[in-house]
């Protein structure tokens, strides 16, 4: 059966994971927001249809012999959606803004390789100390604290996107509203209907506007995946970026090659709140981890759209050794249960005093089924589980803002293909993502050593040791590594699966 039985719509109706919390690039932190921002804005570099890094607002760049200074030349025909010229000073303004502590950017840590970025973000250095300068309107100079092998990929990320200074000066935080938002990407913002759609239209001032085939794209939040599939079948949605894992066999039978399963770089985990007892006890965390059947979760609950995770970093990352694995993987399930019960008993829990866990997650079919399955696995060792669930925006805001929890679902999609992009999440001072407030001086020291190491093999070995500490301490319990999964209508062409799971609308074409 083909996806779509209505008459062809001139609008590309793009299913998106969730309603965005913000369209401010510097306050953004989710994949759902990244999909929209990738259409609205363009960084110095960007992604093509295959997920390869290509020139964006900059046409070319040079690197100094010590790999600390990058000089970018901006394109002559770069324009904002109101017709203003995109200049190097716009990027200086943007990078200083995200590092300004008053911006309260939850994702500022990702740009830490820029010289003095941490000091500026912590308020101990002025904005002018940040390693970014405009030597002329078309030349941007970026200086790093130490060589960073993945820095070019960082510059494709939403945190490194430019913003239009006059709009922010005029509207303040309201610059993201329709009618106020000025962007430099292939699309501009037309309308926002909360919990329904965000509509973008082609930006006529973009240098590649004539090559953009889709005039209008509407991003539709699809947290209820079963409902989203029904809407897709009815022709109300042209693509879905996520699928209900337990329905994959039936979806493949029903839609054939419209179901797209491919590689991705991501992690699904359980974050543990180390600020409260008994979850600050490694015996409790290890017991909870031991009895989780990751093969069942990935193959049955998620229908092969995920892979079992016995490491924090997924395999296949650049600049990395094969990751270490959790201890006890080879043991029989009955032996793992016995060890888990013994650990709980030594921590003071048993039939007379069961461990109670509040499991918090963001609502979707897959997440709900995962929570139920894990609660069943924990019940086998006497753990009693209570669920708390909200929409994705509320869930992740609660965790980022330091809200209370016991155990919480967390997911992470790599911003760049390097183990640092997973491990940095649990550095002590990364409070935006380290929601359980894990603190390990030994782990932090290894991360500092890796950041200063120029030899890639030595750096990979250091990061391997850092991950071993995480797997021993279990501040997060790894569950599964992600795979991309999508439904793509036959009337949508140009979609290409790729490791980074990016598909900018500008490279797609909508047919009848």
């Amino acid at each position: 059966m083909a996806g779509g039985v209505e008459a062809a719509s001139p609008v590309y109706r793009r299913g998106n994971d969730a309603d965005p919390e913000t369209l401010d690039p510097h306050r953004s932190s989710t994949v759902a927001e990244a999909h929209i921002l990738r259409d609205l804005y363009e960084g110095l570099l960007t992604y093509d249809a295959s997920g390869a890094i290509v020139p964006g607002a900059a046409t070319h760049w040079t690197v100094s012999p010590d790999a600390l200074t990058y000089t970018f030349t901006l394109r002559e025909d770069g324009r904002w959606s109101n017709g203003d010229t995109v200049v190097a000073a716009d990027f200086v303004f943007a990078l200083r803004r995200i590092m300004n502590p008053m911006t309260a950017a939850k994702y500022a840590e990702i740009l830490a390789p820029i010289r003095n970025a941490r000091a500026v973000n912590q308020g101990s250095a002025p904005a002018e100390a940040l390693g970014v300068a405009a030597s002329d309107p078309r030349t941007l100079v970026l200086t790093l604290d130490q060589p960073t092998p993945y820095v070019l990929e960082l510059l494709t990320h939403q945190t490194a996107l430019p913003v239009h200074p006059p709009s922010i000066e005029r509207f303040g935080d309201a610059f993201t509203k329709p009618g106020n938002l000025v962007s430099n990407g292939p699309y501009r913002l037309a309308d926002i209907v909360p919990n329904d759609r965000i509509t973008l239209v082609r930006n006529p001032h973009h240098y590649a506007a004539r090559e953009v085939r889709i005039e209008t794209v509407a991003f539709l939040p699809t947290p209820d995946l079963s409902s989203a599939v029904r809407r897709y079948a009815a022709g109300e949605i042209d693509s879905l970026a996520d699928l209900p894992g337990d329905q994959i066999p039936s979806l493949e039978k029903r839609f054939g090659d419209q179901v797209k399963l491919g590689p991705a770089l991501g992690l699904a985990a359980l974050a543990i709140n180390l600020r409260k007892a008994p979850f600050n006890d490694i015996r409790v965390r290890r017991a909870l981890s031991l009895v989780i059947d990751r093969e069942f979760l990935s193959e049955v609950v998620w229908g092969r759209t995920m892979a079992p995770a016995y490491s924090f970093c997924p395999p296949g990352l650049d600049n990395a050794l094969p990751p270490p694995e959790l201890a006890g993987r080879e043991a029989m399930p009955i032996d793992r249960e016995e060890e888990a019960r013994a650990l709980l008993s030594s921590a003071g829990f048993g039939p007379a005093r069961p461990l109670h866990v509040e499991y918090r997650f963001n609502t979707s079919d897959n997440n709900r089924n995962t929570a139920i399955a894990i609660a069943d696995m924990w019940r086998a060792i006497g753990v009693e589980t209570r669920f708390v669930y909200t929409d994705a925006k509320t869930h992740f805001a609660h965790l980022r803002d330091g809200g209370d929890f016991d155990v919480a679902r967390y997911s992470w999609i790599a911003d760049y293909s390097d183990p640092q992009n997973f491990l940095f999440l649990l550095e002590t001072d990364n409070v935006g993502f380290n929601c359980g407030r894990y603190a390990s001086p030994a782990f932090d020291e290894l991360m500092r050593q890796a950041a200063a190491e120029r030899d890639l093999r030595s750096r990979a070995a250091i990061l391997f040791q850092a991950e071993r500490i995480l797997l021993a301490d279990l501040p997060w319990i790894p569950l599964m590594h992600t795979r991309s999964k999508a439904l793509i209508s036959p009337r949508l062409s140009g979609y290409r699966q790729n490791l980074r799971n990016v598909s900018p609308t500008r490279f797609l074409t909508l047919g009848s």
Side-chain angles (χ1 to χ4, degrees):
M1 173 183 175
V5 295
E6 292 183 339
S9 166
V11 178
Y12 169 29
R13 299 149 307 177
R14 181 169 182 159
N16 201 20
D17 302 330
D19 213 32
E21 185 179 345
T22 180
L23 291 182
D24 182 341
H26 303 152
R27 293 189 169 102
S28 165
S29 61
T30 70
V31 174
E33 292 161 354
H35 291 319
I36 302 171
L37 293 170
R38 193 175 293 119
D39 280 357
L40 282 173
Y41 291 94
E42 189 167 83
L44 294 165
L45 293 90
T46 189
Y47 290 114
D48 68 8
S50 300
I53 300 171
V54 296
T59 57
H60 59 279
W61 52 91
T62 59
V63 185
S64 63
D66 62 3
L68 293 178
T69 303
Y70 288 70
T71 303
F72 297 88
T73 300
L74 272 61
R75 58 177 69 251
E76 293 183 11
D77 53 354
R79 296 289 184 273
W80 292 97
S81 55
N82 68 347
D84 289 352
T85 300
V86 177
V87 295
D90 296 335
F91 283 90
V92 174
F93 176 90
L95 291 170
R96 288 178 176 176
R97 178 177 182 264
I98 190 171
M99 287 302 166
N100 186 334
M102 297 298 293
T103 302
K106 302 177 178 71
Y107 225 155
E109 176 68 20
I110 203 170
L111 297 175
I114 301 175
R115 180 165 293 175
N116 297 324
R118 282 194 173 95
V120 172
N121 189 235
Q122 294 167 0
S124 59
E128 293 74 19
L130 189 67
V132 57
S135 57
D136 62 57
R138 290 186 55 219
T139 305
L140 184 78
V141 181
L142 198 68
T143 309
L144 309 181
D145 275 325
Q146 58 266 324
T148 305
Y150 50 84
V151 68
L152 291 178
E153 192 165 4
L154 289 186
L155 299 178
T156 68
H157 192 261
Q158 63 247 50
T159 51
L161 294 173
V163 288
H164 186 243
S167 297
I168 293 178
E169 291 164 3
R170 179 180 179 185
F171 298 113
D173 288 346
F175 84 95
T176 60
K177 292 184 176 180
N180 296 352
L181 192 142
V182 175
S183 59
N184 74 321
Y187 289 88
R188 60 181 177 84
L189 180 63
D191 192 27
I192 297 177
V193 181
N195 300 311
D196 180 66
R197 67 185 58 210
I198 291 177
T199 304
L200 314 183
V201 296
R202 181 168 51 188
N203 172 14
H205 297 288
H206 189 260
Y207 60 87
R210 292 184 178 180
E211 302 167 13
V212 176
R213 302 299 183 188
I214 296 178
E215 178 69 30
T216 305
V217 53
F219 285 86
L220 313 178
T222 55
D224 184 336
L225 298 179
S226 294
S227 173
V229 168
R230 290 193 294 271
R231 294 181 66 188
Y232 175 87
E236 298 174 6
I237 296 178
D238 299 307
S239 68
L240 291 176
D242 198 3
L243 301 176
D246 60 346
Q247 297 182 30
I248 294 300
S250 63
L251 291 175
E252 290 178 324
K253 183 176 181 180
R254 185 179 182 188
F255 296 111
D257 62 6
Q258 296 173 49
V259 177
K260 311 291 185 182
L261 302 179
L265 296 175
L267 171 71
L270 297 180
I272 311 296
N273 191 351
L274 275 66
R275 293 170 291 183
K276 62 193 296 188
F279 305 101
N280 57 354
D281 188 330
I282 182 55
R283 294 171 296 182
V284 170
R285 301 197 298 276
R286 179 159 171 75
L288 294 176
S289 175
L290 274 170
V291 295
I292 294 175
D293 186 339
R294 293 162 173 84
E295 281 74 15
F296 179 84
L297 294 179
S298 58
E299 295 174 13
V300 178
V301 177
W302 286 78
R304 298 178 291 107
T305 64
M306 302 284 268
Y310 292 92
S311 61
F312 201 75
C313 294
L317 292 171
D318 297 339
N319 313 313
L321 298 175
E325 291 192 341
L326 286 168
R329 175 180 181 179
E330 302 303 325
M332 296 290 291
I334 190 170
D335 295 328
R336 292 200 298 266
E337 284 189 14
E338 183 177 343
E339 182 182 352
R341 288 193 192 94
L343 286 167
L344 288 181
S345 177
S346 68
F349 297 97
R353 186 192 174 214
L355 173 65
H356 294 269
V357 176
E358 181 184 277
Y359 183 127
R360 179 180 289 270
F361 64 95
N362 57 297
T363 308
S364 78
D365 294 343
N366 292 342
N367 294 343
R368 184 182 302 107
N369 293 338
T370 300
I372 292 170
I374 290 176
D376 285 342
M377 297 167 193
W378 286 345
R379 187 177 298 114
I381 57 170
V383 175
E384 298 181 1
T385 307
R386 182 174 73 90
F387 298 140
V388 175
Y389 45 90
T390 62
D391 62 276
K393 180 166 60 175
T394 302
H395 174 75
F396 289 109
H398 179 84
L399 297 180
R400 286 194 304 266
D401 295 341
D404 183 45
F405 69 99
D406 294 349
V407 174
R409 176 194 176 268
Y410 214 100
S411 61
W412 182 256
I413 304 299
D415 301 301
Y416 45 94
S417 181
D418 189 278
Q420 190 274 348
N421 191 224
F422 288 87
L423 302 180
F424 91 109
L425 297 167
L426 286 162
E427 291 179 351
T428 299
D429 59 0
N430 191 1
V431 295
F433 296 103
N434 185 2
C435 53
R437 300 301 186 262
Y438 173 66
S440 167
F443 172 76
D444 290 343
E445 175 58 27
L446 287 171
M447 294 301 290
R448 284 190 290 269
Q449 290 179 21
E453 179 56 63
R454 297 187 62 174
D455 181 81
L456 291 182
R457 290 187 179 182
S458 298
R459 176 180 178 272
I462 295 170
L463 293 173
F464 179 93
Q465 294 302 323
E467 183 170 0
R468 287 186 65 180
I469 291 177
L470 294 186
L471 294 177
D473 290 349
L474 289 176
W476 287 12
I477 297 174
L479 299 178
M480 295 169 286
H481 289 135
T482 59
R483 300 182 71 198
S484 64
K485 45 195 177 295
L487 264 175
I488 304 297
S489 169
R491 79 187 194 109
L492 188 68
S493 59
Y495 174 82
R496 299 179 186 176
Q497 290 176 274
N498 58 80
L499 196 63
R500 292 177 174 86
N501 198 24
V502 297
S503 185
T505 304
R506 64 177 283 196
F507 299 112
L508 302 176
T509 302
L510 201 64
S512 57

